[in-house]
Amino acid sequence: MKRLPVSNVSFPLADMVAGLRAVGEDTRVRILALLVEGELTVSDLTDILGQSQPRISRHLKLMVEAGLVERRSEEHTSELQSPCNLVCRLLLEKK
């Protein structure tokens, strides 16, 4: 598996490609940017983005599978956060 060196860390190229595919849609980029700022629930995201819960959940499922978002469940809610891996840093880095 080809690895791409970034700073002092090396990331598998396949992981980077999967991450880029997972944010290949405007809403997912917006979700990622929001989660980098702090944890939010699905309900928070539906309110902020003005989209339905099923639509937001589908986006999040893809992002969780790509490792861009982590889900933490507590009693009746799930908090979502971004571990801000290489893909996040590349996409959201301020110039």
Side-chain angles (χ1 to χ4, degrees):
M1 178 182 296
K2 188 172 182 179
R3 297 182 76 76
L4 182 66
V6 177
S7 300
N8 294 331
V9 182
S10 184
F11 292 90
L13 188 56
D15 290 350
M16 181 184 276
V17 170
L20 289 170
R21 283 188 183 135
V23 291
E25 200 274 339
D26 291 352
T27 299
R28 292 194 289 268
V29 172
R30 292 173 66 201
I31 290 170
L32 187 61
L34 288 166
L35 293 177
V36 166
E37 294 299 317
E39 292 184 1
L40 295 169
T41 64
V42 173
S43 179
D44 294 333
L45 291 170
T46 60
D47 291 343
I48 293 167
L49 298 172
Q51 295 187 18
S52 69
Q53 181 272 323
R55 179 178 291 259
I56 295 294
S57 292
R58 280 193 301 273
H59 287 303
L60 290 168
K61 179 180 183 290
L62 292 169
M63 295 173 77
V64 167
E65 289 171 354
L68 296 176
V69 171
E70 295 174 347
R71 186 180 299 262
R72 183 172 55 86
S73 296
E74 290 186 15
E75 280 200 43
H76 302 292
T77 63
S78 289
E79 293 284 329
L80 299 149
Q81 64 181 359
S82 172
C84 204
N85 62 21
L86 172 65
V87 174
C88 300
R89 290 194 307 266
L90 290 175
L91 292 172
L92 301 174
E93 183 178 87
K94 293 182 175 141
K95 303 279 180 195

